[in-house]
Amino acid sequence: MKNRHDAPGVEHRSLDPTDWADVRRQGHRMLDDMFDYMANIRERPVWQPIPAEVRSSFTEPLPKRPTRLEDAHLKFMTHVLPYAAGNTHPGFMGWVQGAGNVEGMLAEMLAAGLNANLGGRDQMPLEVERQIGLWMRELFNFPTSANGLFVTGSSTANLIGVLLARTKALGVGSRETGLAAVTSPLTAYAAVTAHSCIGKALEMSGIGTQALRSVPVDGDDQMDVEALAKLIAIDRAAGNHPFLVVGTAGTVNTGAIDNLDAIAQLAQREGLWFHVDGALGALGILSPALAPRFKGIELADSLALDFHKWGQVPYDAGYILARRRSDQMDTFASQAVYLTRQSRGLAAGSPWPCDLGPDLSRGFRALKTWFTLVCHGTDKLGAVVAQTCELAQYLKARVEAIPELELMAPVAMNICCFRYRCEDADRVNGDIVADLHESGIAAPSTSSVGGRTVIRAAIVNHRTNHSDIDALLDAVLVCGKNRVV
Ligand SMILES: *Cc1c(COP(=O)(O)O)cnc(C)c1O
């Protein structure tokens, strides 16, 4: 279509539609399809195996010519949507994954329409992100110096925690010298139950996993704080430089919450950075029943959390809350002429998020989070958290009442690990879980507790109810019986 400002004889090429009425109709159909998908999710299998021809339909050559939107959408409906991982489905209990929500989905469309880039500049979308920061400060009782930042997920948020701690320990000058100038090696501490991304963060930070001490846990899977103190003392005696302790608020295997208060006190005495991995559990603080168990989280120097898990915000929406914005600036702010700030105009509003984290271009994750928080309210989100914990207790009670099943770990929050009793149980329980996935009835995952393979059901989904737990157990018993004949 010709633009009225085009030079004569020059064809203007925009990606905008030539027929807005047509794209509007098609857009409404796409929206309706997603409402139908969400409203009728129970009628679908949780997951189904991907047929070879479906998989191979995404190995086509680069598309030189345009495809009509409705044809691309049809391919999505037939070749993508039915073969997604199913974490919207109430029978999905694998790993630790949120279910999303309708308001969050709609907000994603609005954010994409604005095409907002939240790296910086003076724009209202950044005030939405800052609003989330104020709310997180309030929720976790952080001081006014605190500041948050959206990132992909807690893997990145935990990495940022390690990087903030590294700068604090080595000084801002270490941004130039790197680790080469270090004379006494840094050492970090986390419970053996800590998530694997903590080790990965140490790798990526250049410090290396040799510097990570695995602190033993007690019978409740909580970090043994006396053992932590001893490990720190040993490292000091050896001339090492203890700089960081990572507490976990909700371990990935069993949902245990470390004694954050005791770790915080010790970290303070020892001059260590206290980072909390709250990916799974931190938003549990929204539930009044759970909130007291997070005591000490308000003392963290940095806190990683995921809105896309218990917060039910569509992927991805990870978050790092730092106790002092100055620590973020010390680690990430840099000066570049093309990013010069002004006191007015669009280039105002310093500091910008690009001064506070690794990314320059950033999406508008804050909007789907804002919509989710305001449209549902924190009382309801907290009630969903409590409900998932009650369902995990219901699952635990049912497991204990069924002779064929064995409870494998304490149920601290919303995660229940159990298994089918039989010979060669490690192999058989792995098979049972794969059979369950292929049945489409339920999708727990496997894990290892005390070196033994378990069926792990993490109830995160706001749609999951008692009948889904019953269906899971019925299917486990059928699959187990079939496997041991
Ligand atoms: C999920 C999880 C992570 C990783 O978070 P992502 O958002 O998946 O990157 C880290 N720690 C714990 C305890 C988790 O449950």
Side-chain angles (χ1 to χ4, degrees):
M1 193 170 58
K2 230 163 152 42
N3 184 301
R4 65 192 164 93
H5 297 297
D6 284 347
V10 176
E11 194 195 341
H12 177 78
R13 288 187 184 81
S14 157
L15 299 181
D16 280 337
T18 46
D19 183 348
W20 281 96
D22 191 44
V23 84
R24 185 183 298 260
R25 271 190 303 276
Q26 177 58 25
H28 288 167
R29 277 195 290 272
M30 292 164 76
L31 194 55
D32 279 339
D33 277 347
M34 288 322 284
F35 287 137
D36 287 343
Y37 170 75
M38 283 190 164
N40 304 318
I41 189 72
R42 275 186 179 280
E43 290 158 24
R44 293 180 167 275
V46 182
W47 177 84
Q48 55 184 327
I50 304 167
E53 64 276 17
V54 169
R55 198 183 295 277
S56 64
S57 75
F58 275 87
T59 56
E60 288 179 352
L62 194 66
K64 282 190 181 298
R65 311 287 309 164
T67 297
R68 292 185 322 158
L69 174 60
E70 59 200 88
D71 293 337
H73 177 231
L74 181 64
K75 180 151 179 183
F76 168 80
M77 290 305 291
T78 55
H79 286 64
V80 179
L81 179 141
Y83 306 102
N87 51 323
T88 50
H89 194 289
F92 188 96
M93 302 164 193
W95 302 273
V96 174
Q97 297 198 21
N101 72 100
V102 172
E103 292 78 4
M105 173 186 84
L106 295 171
E108 277 286 67
M109 185 190 66
L110 304 181
L114 278 186
N115 192 26
N117 176 352
L118 275 76
R121 291 156 289 271
D122 195 23
Q123 52 171 328
M124 218 39 215
L126 274 181
E127 300 303 335
V128 178
E129 179 154 353
R130 290 181 183 127
Q131 167 74 88
I132 307 289
L134 293 176
W135 286 341
M136 290 306 106
R137 209 167 83 184
E138 178 185 339
L139 184 64
F140 293 102
N141 207 6
F142 267 46
T144 52
S145 59
N147 184 73
L149 193 72
F150 276 94
V151 291
T152 38
S154 282
S155 301
T156 298
N158 284 324
L159 170 61
I160 291 174
V162 170
L163 296 176
L164 297 179
R166 188 185 68 178
T167 307
K168 191 62 139 195
L170 302 178
V172 179
S174 65
R175 287 175 59 177
E176 279 176 46
T177 58
L179 296 174
V182 170
T183 45
S184 47
L186 296 172
T187 51
Y189 308 81
V192 286
T193 46
H195 194 274
S196 58
C197 71
I198 303 297
K200 203 163 155 180
L202 282 151
E203 290 167 8
M204 288 190 283
S205 69
I207 297 165
T209 43
Q210 268 184 7
L212 180 60
R213 307 284 181 256
S214 272
V215 186
V217 292
D218 61 19
D220 290 326
D221 260 1
Q222 291 177 311
M223 184 191 288
D224 179 341
V225 182
E226 274 178 34
L228 168 65
K230 283 185 193 140
L231 285 168
I232 294 171
I234 291 168
D235 275 319
R236 286 209 196 283
N240 293 329
H241 179 178
F243 82 111
L244 163 70
V245 56
V246 178
T248 303
T251 60
V252 67
N253 248 3
T254 65
I257 303 169
D258 283 335
N259 186 340
L260 303 176
D261 206 36
I263 299 172
Q265 312 289 343
L266 183 63
Q268 207 150 34
R269 274 203 306 280
E270 295 281 350
L272 268 61
W273 185 277
F274 177 37
H275 175 78
V276 174
D277 177 4
L280 182 156
L283 289 176
I285 206 164
L286 291 171
S287 155
L290 282 186
R293 293 163 61 188
F294 296 94
K295 186 166 171 1
I297 205 167
E298 73 283 358
L299 300 171
D301 292 298
S302 51
L303 166 65
L305 63 99
D306 276 334
F307 290 106
H308 55 221
K309 288 179 177 169
W310 249 346
Q312 314 292 344
V313 173
Y315 283 89
D316 48 38
Y319 200 75
I320 177 80
L321 183 64
R323 185 167 208 82
R324 292 162 298 268
R325 191 176 72 179
S326 56
D327 288 330
Q328 292 177 302
M329 301 280 286
D330 285 350
T331 302
F332 293 109
S334 58
Q335 278 157 7
V337 283
Y338 43 84
L339 295 174
T340 301
R341 314 304 154 79
Q342 306 294 345
S343 56
R344 63 191 184 88
L346 181 51
S350 187
W352 293 352
C354 63
D355 303 320
L356 307 168
D359 297 314
L360 176 54
S361 296
R362 308 167 64 245
F364 196 0
R365 297 182 181 104
L367 193 66
K368 58 190 171 184
T369 307
W370 185 84
F371 266 81
T372 302
L373 288 170
V374 299
C375 292
H376 298 290
T378 52
D379 286 353
K380 188 160 62 160
L381 292 169
V384 165
V385 164
Q387 169 178 284
T388 59
C389 294
E390 284 154 21
L391 286 168
Q393 289 299 334
Y394 173 71
L395 173 55
K396 170 184 181 233
R398 283 220 53 204
V399 164
E400 287 177 322
I402 298 172
E404 289 93 331
L405 302 179
E406 182 182 8
L407 187 72
M408 298 299 288
V411 178
M413 288 204 297
N414 59 332
I415 297 175
C416 180
C417 294
F418 63 100
R419 70 175 182 175
Y420 191 80
R421 292 180 202 265
C422 57
E423 305 242 318
D424 200 6
D426 285 345
R427 186 184 56 78
V428 173
N429 278 278
D431 284 338
I432 289 174
V433 167
D435 292 344
L436 285 170
H437 292 174
E438 287 173 357
S439 78
I441 296 169
S445 51
T446 56
S447 190
S448 175
V449 172
R452 296 189 294 173
T453 301
V454 301
I455 301 172
R456 174 167 155 286
I459 322 294
V460 187
N461 193 321
H462 57 93
R463 303 185 176 103
T464 304
N465 64 27
H466 289 84
S467 74
D468 299 304
I469 304 290
D470 292 339
L472 164 72
L473 289 172
D474 291 348
V476 166
L477 291 175
V478 170
C479 293
K481 200 167 267 171
N482 289 342
R483 282 280 160 192
V484 295
V485 283

